[in-house]
Amino acid sequence: MSAAIQALELSEKKDIIALCGDLAEKFIKRAPKYDKEGSFPVENFQDLKDAGLLGIMIPKEHGGMGADFLTYTKALEQLAMGCSSTALTFNMHNIAVGSIAELNLKGIGGSRGKTMTEFRDWVYDQSISHKKVFASASSEPGIGAHFSKLKTTYKRVEDGFVINGTKSFVSMAGYADYYVVAAKAADSDSEVPAISYLVVEKDHPNTTIDFIWDVLGMRATSTNPVHFKDCFVKKEALFLGSEGMALYKIAREPHWLVGGYVGVYLGISTAAFRFMVDFIKKKKIPGTDTSLSEDPKIQHRVGEIYAALESARTVTYNAAMLVRDKLGSQEANNAIHHAKYVAGELGPWLTSQAIRLCGASSLAKVFPLERYYRDSRCGGLMPATSDECLSYMGKAAFGTDLTKPTETYW
């Protein structure tokens, strides 16, 4: 690759990140309203659509922005600094689209290659030309995102499939245009069940939604249960035309189900840190006209927080680079779990420290710090959970082959 092409690509990546930063400035003004109401950020998603960001991961030759995983991670970080619920739900769209965009289908011939290509092109067209949003429907009651334990089933019928089951945490439920439903083959009882993804339209008559999302943090994600009862979909709804391979794909390349969250939670921590610094600069040492930022003890504690934040940023960016450069390698998979653990645990600690340093007045809802605290509390619960990340890294340290689904937490 010539230096000129490299420079052009670097400039384009910077433009994507800057675009997301500009949108975040708009999002931050709306975030309190969405959080208070628990309403979905429709205006923010319209801005994402208008900016062409539904195709952020789609290659440029197909009309998208062609972002790599590092650029995407930095873009999510920017969006989350404006509205974390918007960033998190935007990531759900890209779990579907991004996982397709990184596939190389040129070497797959015959009818299988044709089917996969047609499905890919349909997803690209829906995202770019029709501005349609895809939602991931995986987690189930009492199971979470443990794919090997899924109870939702599908069975082959004439011209398609029938889905039955309930998904407990479907972000964008009621807003997304399509649900990408993880289900196991009804006749699959093996230790590694045949898990497939099937695409269900939003207004399918055999789906119902329980609008019950009223929680501590990430209140604007509309993460509600969706029920599928004898839900028929055509054979073209089978994700990439591939049946029974999802669990193997997730085990080999877990970054989309794990790594997308990292940029979001890093963004929350970054926003909280910047608020804290600005707040402390304006606050006075009691009984004086001197800024609290000049207190040596405060400087020391802010320095400690800064070191933790920048360490998390380094870990996050390094993991995203490894995904970009060594996709599916154990090194990249270890790094993305490390980053998920660090970012997920950093947020609650950092926001707690910020509250202590800023004082009780910073908890007023006129300020975003208490929202950052609540939203950050969710980070360690998103898949993979903090405990699952530690177990994964521990197994990796002992040399376990984590490409085997039976060796992972899935």
Side-chain angles (χ1 to χ4, degrees):
M1 184 183 297
S2 70
I5 293 176
Q6 286 181 322
L8 177 60
E9 289 190 352
L10 180 60
S11 176
E12 290 173 343
K13 292 171 184 176
K14 288 181 177 179
D15 288 344
I16 293 172
I17 298 166
L19 171 62
C20 291
D22 290 341
L23 289 178
E25 292 298 319
K26 298 174 66 175
F27 294 173
I28 198 169
K29 298 174 183 178
R30 301 169 181 158
K33 173 179 179 291
Y34 295 139
D35 176 72
K36 182 178 181 179
E37 297 175 350
S39 58
F40 189 79
V42 174
E43 296 93 338
N44 290 356
F45 260 78
Q46 188 59 52
D47 287 339
L48 293 171
K49 292 177 179 182
D50 292 343
L53 282 164
L54 294 187
I56 186 173
M57 298 303 298
I58 296 175
K60 287 183 288 185
E61 58 266 31
H62 292 279
M65 291 184 170
D68 56 37
F69 200 75
L70 176 59
T71 303
Y72 175 67
T73 298
K74 291 182 177 182
L76 274 183
E77 179 187 0
Q78 292 294 318
L79 294 174
M81 290 171 65
C83 177
S84 52
S85 288
T86 299
L88 184 119
T89 47
F90 178 59
N91 178 59
M92 297 304 177
H93 168 79
N94 287 295
I95 286 176
V97 179
S99 62
I100 294 175
E102 65 192 14
L103 293 176
N104 182 4
L105 302 181
K106 294 180 179 178
I108 304 176
S111 60
R112 181 166 181 263
K114 181 176 182 293
T115 299
M116 295 178 76
T117 300
E118 288 176 347
F119 183 87
R120 178 202 66 186
D121 291 346
W122 175 78
V123 170
Y124 287 176
D125 182 60
Q126 291 296 300
S127 298
I128 295 174
S129 300
H130 300 280
K131 302 186 187 302
K132 299 295 185 180
V133 176
F134 290 80
S136 175
S138 299
S139 298
E140 294 186 358
I143 295 172
H146 297 101
F147 284 73
S148 63
K149 311 298 182 185
L150 292 185
K151 295 181 180 179
T152 298
T153 62
Y154 73 92
K155 64 179 180 179
R156 280 185 171 273
V157 295
E158 186 176 358
D159 296 326
F161 305 88
V162 173
I163 307 168
N164 278 286
T166 293
K167 297 300 179 179
S168 53
F169 297 107
V170 182
S171 295
M172 301 190 287
Y175 174 82
D177 300 287
Y178 298 104
Y179 302 117
V180 182
V181 182
K184 71 174 182 179
D187 57 355
S188 178
D189 295 317
S190 67
E191 188 177 11
V192 184
I195 304 295
S196 303
Y197 287 111
L198 300 115
V199 180
V200 180
E201 293 184 6
K202 169 186 175 181
D203 297 322
H204 194 293
N206 289 50
T207 64
T208 57
I209 303 172
D210 298 332
F211 290 97
I212 60 174
W213 188 246
D214 186 11
V215 292
L216 173 73
M218 293 293 182
R219 290 177 47 78
T221 60
S222 189
T223 303
N224 292 295
V226 181
H227 308 278
F228 303 89
K229 176 65 174 175
D230 295 330
C231 182
F232 171 78
V233 293
K234 296 180 180 180
K235 61 181 181 180
E236 290 81 8
L238 180 63
F239 202 82
L240 284 170
S242 300
E243 188 176 353
M245 297 303 295
L247 199 53
Y248 293 95
K249 169 74 172 173
I250 292 166
R252 290 194 302 267
E253 299 172 2
H255 57 281
W256 273 111
L257 290 180
V258 178
Y261 296 109
V262 182
V264 174
Y265 287 96
L266 178 63
I268 298 172
S269 292
T270 300
F273 181 83
R274 292 184 179 181
F275 171 84
M276 177 190 70
V277 168
D278 186 61
F279 194 91
I280 290 173
K281 282 182 178 179
K282 296 173 182 176
K283 192 172 183 179
K284 305 298 181 184
I285 297 174
T288 75
D289 290 325
T290 304
S291 169
L292 189 60
S293 64
E294 296 186 31
D295 185 326
K297 293 180 181 179
I298 297 297
Q299 292 170 349
H300 182 276
R301 292 181 65 185
V302 170
E304 179 186 21
I305 297 170
Y306 178 77
L309 175 61
E310 290 307 305
S311 295
R313 195 184 314 283
T314 298
V315 167
T316 297
Y317 290 177
N318 177 66
M321 282 190 287
L322 285 170
V323 169
R324 179 193 65 189
D325 299 335
K326 299 182 179 181
L327 180 66
S329 69
Q330 191 60 62
E331 183 182 6
N333 293 347
N334 289 349
I336 209 68
H337 282 86
H338 181 200
K340 174 61 173 60
Y341 172 77
V342 170
E345 294 299 302
L346 172 68
W349 175 83
L350 187 152
T351 52
S352 295
Q353 294 299 309
I355 289 169
R356 291 175 63 182
L357 289 178
C358 293
S361 60
S362 66
L363 287 174
K365 287 188 178 291
V366 69
F367 299 121
L369 186 54
E370 63 87 28
R371 184 176 76 252
Y372 296 149
Y373 174 78
R374 288 186 287 106
D375 285 351
S376 70
R377 295 301 308 179
C378 305
L381 301 176
M382 301 295 176
T385 66
S386 290
D387 286 336
E388 289 167 346
C389 287
L390 290 176
S391 295
Y392 185 96
M393 290 185 288
K395 282 190 171 186
F398 286 117
T400 303
D401 182 2
L402 291 166
T403 62
K404 296 180 179 179
T406 52
E407 295 292 347
T408 71
Y409 46 83
W410 298 114

